[in-house]
Amino acid sequence: MKLKKMEILGFKSFSDKSSIEFPRGVSAIVGPNGCGKSNIVDALRWAMGEQSVKQLRGKSMEDVIFAGADDIPPQNLAEVSLTLLNDNGSAPDALKDFTEIQLTRRLYRSGESGYFINKQACRLKDIHNVFLGSGM
């Protein structure tokens, strides 16, 4: 499996919906200091099921939700979706027939959260099972 696209909404410094394509051969994200490179990596880890707030450079899980800026109000939701190409058939049996698999993690400021595979609610364990033996 390969990462094809990441969509980020309300996660850390991403107040608006942002989409990042990962074409074949991309092996690095570069940019000036303060542009959000580390937040992209944090978003990837978080969507893959990271539970340690410390690993996401925060004090509480609420820290991943966009807190607001000068003229931009805070968000009530953080959501990251990963689109994976199932080009080598390494997905779990239930997902083998899909050429693309979308994994989503969502967190509300109220504390409610959810994991989704192809827009269907699932467990964190199901997200972890997607990556087992995938090479990602």
Side-chain angles (χ1 to χ4, degrees), residues 87-107:
D87 56 353
N88 63 359
S90 64
D93 290 337
L95 300 170
K96 281 204 184 288
D97 295 336
F98 293 96
T99 56
E100 291 185 355
I101 301 167
Q102 185 181 53
L103 307 176
T104 303
R105 184 172 182 182
R106 195 177 291 157
L107 174 68

Side-chain angles (χ1 to χ4, degrees), residues 3-90:
L3 180 61
K4 178 182 179 184
K5 180 170 66 170
M6 181 177 358
E7 296 173 314
I8 307 170
L9 171 65
F11 184 87
K12 289 195 170 189
S13 61
F14 294 92
S15 63
D16 298 326
K17 189 170 189 173
S18 301
S19 181
I20 303 168
E21 299 281 336
F22 294 93
R24 199 177 266 307
V26 169
S27 59
I29 298 173
V30 295
N33 292 342
C35 72
K37 299 179 299 287
S38 296
N39 290 344
I40 292 170
V41 174
D42 288 348
L44 179 63
R45 289 182 76 146
W46 187 70
M48 292 175 73
E50 179 63 63
Q51 296 298 298
S52 170
V53 178
K54 188 177 180 181
Q55 293 293 326
L56 299 170
R57 300 175 304 122
K59 292 181 182 139
S60 73
M61 196 54 81
E62 189 177 312
D63 289 346
V64 302
I65 302 172
F66 180 75
D70 295 337
D71 294 332
I72 306 169
Q75 297 284 334
N76 290 318
L77 161 78
E79 181 178 283
V80 177
S81 295
L82 306 176
T83 302
L84 307 174
L85 284 176
N86 185 25
D87 56 353
N88 63 359
S90 64

